[in-house]
Amino acid sequence: MTLVPIAILVLGLIAIAWFRAPLWLATALAAAVTVTTALWLPVAWPLDILFIAITAVLLFFTLTPLRRTLLSRPLFSWFKGVLPAMSATEKEALDAGTVWWDAELFSGKPDWKVLFDQDAPTLSAEERAFIDGPVEELCRMLDDWKINRELKDLPPEVWKFIREKRFLSMIIPKQYGGLEFTAQGNAAAVTKISTRSLTAAVSVMVPNSLGPGELLMHFGTEDQKDHYLPRLARGEEIPCFALTSPQAGSDAASMPDEGVVCKKTIDGKEVLGLRVTWDKRYITLAPVATVLGLAFKTRDPDGLLGDKEHLGISCALIPTSTPGVEIGNRHLPGGSLFMNGPTRGKDVFVPMDWLIGGQERIGQGWRMLMHCLAAGRAISLPAQGVAGGKACTAMTGAYARIRYQFKQPIGHFEGIEEPLARIGAEAYRMEAAHKLTLAALDAGHKPVVLSAILKAYLTEANRRVVNDAMDVHGGKAVVEGPGNYLSLGYQALPVSITVEGANILTRSMIVFGQGAIRCHPYLLKEMLAAQDNDLKAFDAALWGHVGFLISNAVRAPLLGLTGGRLSRSPVSGPTARYYRRVNRLSSAFTLTADLALLILGGKFKFAEKLSGRFADALAHLYMASSILRRYEDDGRPAEDLPLVKFAVEDSLHQVEEALHGVFRNFPISALGGVLRLVAFPWGRVHSVADDRTSHKIARLLLEKSATRERLIDGCFMSQEEDGTGIVLKAFDAVLKAEPAEHAIRNALKAVPSPSNVKALTRKAVEAGVITEEQAADLIRAQELSARVIAVDEFTPEELANSSEPQRPVLAEAS
């Protein structure tokens, strides 16, 4: 009988921790068990003492004034002493943006209603018309070989078209003459252009991301908006924004560029302004810009504005015609020769009304930049990753069906099925995460952590996809020329991986470094309470944090033991188990992260390897969630299940591997081993998808399936006689001629090829195996296939007379 009250109390406390019920309920339960035991089991006095002690402890923590005075106050003093100082730039970065589904994943108990309350991604009719009209027309005007190897710039007629159709003003409000697209509309345009030409895409996306336009919209004065925004919308001004310096790359806040407050007499009037000196590089559109956005440190040594000398980072808009401004020289980014170059200036006078937001915004530049990056980082560069996935899916699936070796399409070989499956699954996952985040942006969220995840992990996924596509294409992708639609994109991969926060930095310092503070329900509250010297707020946050930790310490092993089956899935059917697995891994992730933060404290910011592994786990928890949401948004098409299975299982596997990496390198080794047993009592359980699944995906890409069409929707599909256009025509022709090919194989025991197709079809027609029409289809398919496998070649004279080949000639590969 003595075991009964013990079991009731233990199970009751576990249930309270599991459901995160309030502390007073645990106290009431303990008190009730104590009283009941004393009345029903009077001889069990040791048990009474134990229950009284438990009740007393719980009552102490329930009585907030007593707890705050006796325990929280000394802990508060200690916490303030060990809390590392937070720089102004770090605080501004933390203050930027909001949290959304990432906070749910960091809770250890994600509420799926939060995810499904978000509207499904969609484009407006106006945005769709722009994508189908001007964007389609722009893509038809682009010749990436000519742009990058001959002109080294967009042709004048393309620049004219971009300006006239207001591609540079997709984010500018209509009241100023812009298109005022949503984040989804902006990204859809960039994605489609990127599938045709990265040079054109970068030229379009930069004015629509972090730069003068966005900064003016959020922080500019009314006069600045009225002057610049209509001119930017009409393309009369070409903007650029200069942040990076030779000595300040990823650590942009350490820039040496400086503006000193001074006065200057202009037209007989004394004007207050700044004497600015800068040396910037890697600035997109700088060589052709008419207005220069500039970030620089601001100093007031003479006290013209007050008694503070160092005022922080400021942002200004400077006409490039201003005396002392240097632009024009170019850098040549590999594989994508968009306009990019340095800009310099020495002692350039900048009136106060050239500061974005005017004089009252002096020193607020870093906050402005972090505010814009919180959302903007999720749009343009991830769009290029999505574009890479779509283009490689379209082209590699088609090429693997067209290209024959050993008398069959190379896509039928298991060795090719593996990269094809990875390409399709990565494309599905990238677009799922991108569209979900864009929809959240359009709903008013500014998820800074998710934006960093998309920038880093989608550009890395694009690198993997392009590498796989290169491998499948073999020599076709290696030999440069107009017919090679992969080489330039392959060379340009490092651009998106490097800019807007290099991926190494983003993964190891930003995603979890900011995510741990922003997404954790209590950590930031504790830090702010310490900074504000608010004991009451600190007490509430601290003991909320303790309860949170206890809850996850209960949930993680129970979910681990049951494979997540104790948790709920918001849907039924074949994907329900994946929701439960996300729940299970979310709890394990949160418990592990909480303990690591507790042990390392302020030293965690230097534990970049651990931070990177936690970032991997958080990123793939988000991507797994987005895949599941996409499957629902698409109407749960059964034919897409292989993609869902492959992509989700890969993400869950990545989460598990990341956490095991944390356990092996935990600050306290023994505790790492305990955590591994708590979180994964049965060992590793999340493996990548099996060979049957990859086979199904590969076959879906080798035919004009509904799944393939959904994957490549939004990709420019050329109808011209260019590299991609010939592949797509050959793909259609090969599929159309497939019955005739099979008939000849069966009847004549021969495989049609470009060299024998005419003789074979003539013989097959005479034998009544195929019709004349089928013969014509098969001949056309083989002729187009020969053009697909051809590579470019150049005469010695062409190579000698030009630094780059000018007149390529297609020749069939031997």
Side-chain angles (χ1 to χ4, degrees), residues 281-528:
R281 65 177 181 179
Y282 307 149
I283 311 307
T284 298
L285 296 184
V288 295
T290 61
V291 58
L292 168 67
L294 185 70
F296 53 90
K297 289 183 176 177
T298 319
R299 199 161 57 87
D300 183 18
D302 298 327
L304 297 177
L305 300 179
D307 56 2
K308 186 177 180 181
E309 178 178 353
H310 298 281
L311 304 177
I313 293 171
S314 298
C315 295
L317 289 181
I318 305 172
T320 56
S321 58
T322 303
V325 175
E326 296 180 28
I327 61 166
N329 289 348
R330 291 183 63 181
H331 304 309
L332 298 179
S336 182
L337 298 186
F338 53 88
M339 284 292 167
N340 185 278
T343 175
R344 302 177 182 89
K346 183 170 177 59
D347 295 333
V348 176
F349 183 74
V350 176
M352 283 292 177
D353 58 8
W354 288 8
L355 290 177
I356 296 177
Q359 183 176 328
E360 67 182 66
R361 292 282 189 183
I362 195 169
Q364 297 183 23
W366 194 249
R367 184 169 72 85
M368 297 178 187
L369 296 173
M370 292 300 101
H371 174 87
C372 294
L373 276 176
R377 197 180 265 156
I379 300 173
S380 299
L381 292 174
Q384 289 191 346
V386 171
K390 288 180 176 295
C392 288
T393 297
M395 294 299 112
T396 311
Y399 183 82
R401 179 62 185 83
I402 296 163
R403 179 65 159 151
Y404 274 58
Q405 290 288 274
F406 305 102
K407 300 181 180 182
Q408 63 178 314
I410 63 172
H412 289 178
F413 290 94
E414 289 191 357
I416 299 297
E417 284 183 349
E418 286 185 311
L420 280 178
R422 289 195 297 264
I423 290 170
E426 290 274 26
Y428 188 90
R429 179 165 60 189
M430 283 193 284
E431 186 171 32
H434 194 216
K435 282 190 170 181
L436 179 63
T437 311
L438 294 172
L441 290 175
D442 290 331
H445 300 287
K446 291 189 178 296
V448 59
V449 176
L450 297 183
S451 294
I453 286 174
L454 257 64
K455 188 275 166 184
Y457 288 83
L458 266 59
T459 55
E460 288 293 343
N462 187 32
R463 171 151 57 184
R464 294 191 295 271
V465 163
V466 174
N467 280 338
D468 276 335
M470 293 284 290
D471 287 348
V472 173
H473 281 77
K476 172 72 174 178
V478 173
V479 177
E480 287 204 335
N484 187 335
Y485 41 82
L486 286 175
S487 176
L488 290 172
Y490 174 77
Q491 295 172 49
L493 282 171
V495 175
S496 60
I497 284 165
T498 302
V499 300
E500 288 191 12
N503 284 1
I504 290 176
L505 168 79
T506 303
R507 173 183 176 269
S508 63
M509 296 179 67
I510 295 177
V511 170
F512 188 76
Q514 285 191 356
I517 298 174
R518 291 303 309 273
C519 300
H520 196 289
Y522 299 104
L523 192 56
L524 183 58
K525 294 177 182 177
E526 291 166 343
M527 295 172 65
L528 293 177

Side-chain angles (χ1 to χ4, degrees), residues 17 62 86 195 278 285 291 423 471 490 500 618 627 691 740 754:
T62 304
M86 187 184 300
T195 63
W278 70 90
L285 296 184
V291 58
I423 290 170
D471 287 348
Y490 174 77
E500 288 191 12
L618 181 59
I627 293 162
D691 292 345

Side-chain angles (χ1 to χ4, degrees), residues 538-591:
F538 176 79
D539 174 81
L542 174 64
W543 299 110
H545 191 164
V546 171
F548 177 75
L549 181 61
I550 292 171
S551 175
N552 283 312
V554 168
R555 292 179 62 85
L558 290 177
L559 290 173
L561 285 167
T562 62
R565 292 178 180 84
L566 287 178
S567 65
R568 293 182 178 180
S569 167
V571 304
S572 59
T575 60
R577 67 184 186 275
Y578 295 131
Y579 289 88
R580 296 188 181 97
R581 292 179 185 180
V582 171
N583 293 338
R584 176 257 179 99
L585 289 173
S586 168
S587 183
F589 163 79
T590 305
L591 174 64

Side-chain angles (χ1 to χ4, degrees), residues 105 110 112 563-564 567-586 620-621 624-625 627-629 631-632 636 640-653 685-690 693:
L105 294 173
W112 290 95
S567 65
R568 293 182 178 180
S569 167
V571 304
S572 59
T575 60
R577 67 184 186 275
Y578 295 131
Y579 289 88
R580 296 188 181 97
R581 292 179 185 180
V582 171
N583 293 338
R584 176 257 179 99
L585 289 173
S586 168
H620 279 283
L621 282 170
S625 305
I627 293 162
L628 296 172
R629 173 62 199 267
Y631 180 65
E632 298 298 321
R636 312 187 84 185
D640 287 2
L641 277 173
L643 285 171
V644 175
K645 176 181 173 66
F646 193 109
V648 171
E649 290 184 0
D650 180 72
S651 280
L652 298 179
H653 174 72
V685 294
H686 297 97
S687 58
V688 296
D690 56 32
T693 302

